[in-house]
Amino acid sequence: QDYLPDLTQDDFEEQIRDFRGQASCVPDDVLVVLIGDMVTEEALPTYQTLLNTFEGCDDPTGTCDSPWARWSRGWTSEENRHGDLL
């Protein structure tokens, strides 16, 4: 949410206009992909929390040695790198 307009604010329309102005040199297809990626990356903690609720994948302390818990931590860290890059 650091880069996208906050639709819960009263001035969201002005934020959108400002965003469009700043992004005017970015092709539409690239902008759509970047926004979709940012929304996905912003939700990463939700994905991790959901995975931690599944039996066999639960990892309440981040140290569980089950294959699914290890995969979940690895996947989350890889996805986090995407967010860092964006």
Side-chain angles (χ1 to χ4, degrees), residues 13-61:
E13 290 181 28
E14 182 179 335
Q15 291 181 40
I16 291 172
R17 280 192 292 278
D18 290 344
F19 180 82
R20 286 181 176 165
Q22 294 173 20
S24 63
C25 62
V26 178
D28 286 345
D29 52 348
V30 172
L31 186 60
V32 167
V33 168
L34 288 173
I35 290 173
D37 286 350
M38 280 194 261
V39 168
T40 301
E41 299 306 329
E42 287 285 329
L44 187 59
T46 303
Y47 303 150
Q48 180 66 35
T49 300
L50 177 65
L51 286 171
N52 276 339
T53 66
F54 297 142
E55 185 177 343
C57 191
D58 53 329
D59 190 12
T61 64

